[in-house]
Amino acid sequence: MKVVVLTGAGISAESGVPTFRDADGLWEGHRFEDVATPEAFEAQPSVVHRFYDARRTALLAVEPNPAHVALARLEEHLGDDLLVVTQNIDDLHERGGSTRVLHMHGELRSALCTGCSGRSEWTGDLGDYPPCPRCGVVGLRPDVVWFGEVPYGMDRILAALGTADLFVSIGTSGAVYPAAGFVQYAATAGARTLELNLVPSEGTHLFDEARHGPAATLVPAWVGELLG
Ligand code: APR
């Protein structure tokens, strides 16, 4: 069985990583136009760096939860027949044990050089304008896909959705495209579709089945069911 799992901020919520659109979410305290667009970075790079540097530092204080761990368990059984596509820029899937993870919106622990386009693993701050470890140019930005930019790995994602038997969406509001359109793409290609989310997402009616509750409970239960 080929499975594609799409995850969003909700899967990391119980680890203590804030979501975007819930009460107390990141977009409640910030206008995304001020920190998550190429225009914002051009106009006020230090504001943008401060925002992502703080989030990168906050990763040190959080741990994967049972939902991340359950997906790693599923990968142990399915191997290459499982692809986890995440919109999250945290590293909790990897720390939970998953290895086949595609970060379509980039990663906090990576820096992107505006000079050479190289991507470098990054654990410190970017706000003190360090040079690119590859080319030496001072021009590193967060390796995050901002509004108006093209997500990573779309060819690979669409290929996996096109051959999936099952598509599962976990902890995402279904408000941001292209990820919000994956359910229809997978369904059209013949996959069964399942939503696991705290509350019905914007696209909940598009799924064959939807279960609502906290990911740290729903995901291990679903994986247990699937693995018998
Ligand atoms: N368990 C399951 N779902 C949860 C939990 C939980 N414990 N807590 C919250 N949720 C759900 C919320 O109900 C909401 O539907 O997770 C969803 C989070 O939605 P968003 O905050 O919109 O996050 P996400 O869907 O990942 O956002 C997509 O938007 O701003 C961009 O680039 C950013 O990748 C992000 C994208």
Side-chain angles (χ1 to χ4, degrees):
M1 164 147 62
K2 288 183 183 295
V3 180
V4 177
V5 170
L6 171 70
T7 66
I11 197 168
S12 298
E14 287 157 273
S15 293
V17 181
T19 63
F20 295 93
R21 294 173 183 79
D22 293 302
D24 292 331
L26 278 172
W27 294 158
E28 203 173 79
H30 294 86
R31 281 168 16 109
F32 75 79
E33 297 91 332
D34 294 338
V35 289
T37 62
E39 293 76 17
F41 186 61
E42 205 168 309
Q44 291 191 298
S46 57
V47 171
V48 175
H49 277 314
R50 251 201 315 277
F51 178 72
Y52 290 99
D53 283 349
R55 292 177 63 196
R56 193 178 304 106
T57 302
L59 285 185
L60 299 173
V62 299
E63 297 291 339
N65 68 54
H68 300 103
V69 174
L71 291 181
R73 181 168 165 240
L74 185 59
E75 185 189 294
E76 275 171 24
H77 285 78
L78 294 182
D80 283 336
D81 286 336
L82 173 69
L83 176 64
V84 174
V85 178
T86 187
Q87 298 168 89
N88 298 344
I89 58 177
D90 67 50
D91 57 354
L92 293 178
H93 281 303
E94 287 84 354
R95 283 161 57 196
S98 290
T99 62
R100 294 163 174 89
V101 182
L102 197 161
H103 284 268
M104 65 179 290
H105 289 171
E107 294 178 70
L108 273 173
R109 299 192 116 202
S110 175
L112 175 66
C113 180
T114 55
C116 70
S117 302
R119 303 175 77 187
S120 304
E121 191 180 328
W122 206 265
T123 53
D125 285 347
L126 289 170
D128 42 9
Y129 298 95
C132 170
R134 293 166 185 269
C135 72
V137 164
V138 174
L140 292 174
R141 55 164 271 183
D143 191 2
V144 168
V145 176
W146 287 321
F147 287 93
E149 297 183 321
V150 180
Y152 285 117
M154 284 305 294
D155 288 352
R156 203 176 141 211
I157 295 169
L158 295 180
L161 290 171
T163 57
D165 300 299
L166 177 61
F167 171 74
V168 186
S169 174
I170 303 172
T172 176
S173 58
V176 174
Y177 284 81
F182 290 171
V183 56
Q184 283 158 303
Y185 192 92
T188 304
R192 201 174 80 78
T193 57
L194 170 66
E195 167 171 285
L196 304 176
N197 204 50
L198 190 60
V199 297
S201 72
E202 289 186 21
T204 193
H205 58 284
L206 300 168
F207 290 82
D208 294 320
E209 185 188 346
R211 301 180 190 176
H212 298 127
T217 306
L218 287 187
V219 179
W222 164 68
V223 169
E225 224 173 83
L226 200 69
L227 298 179

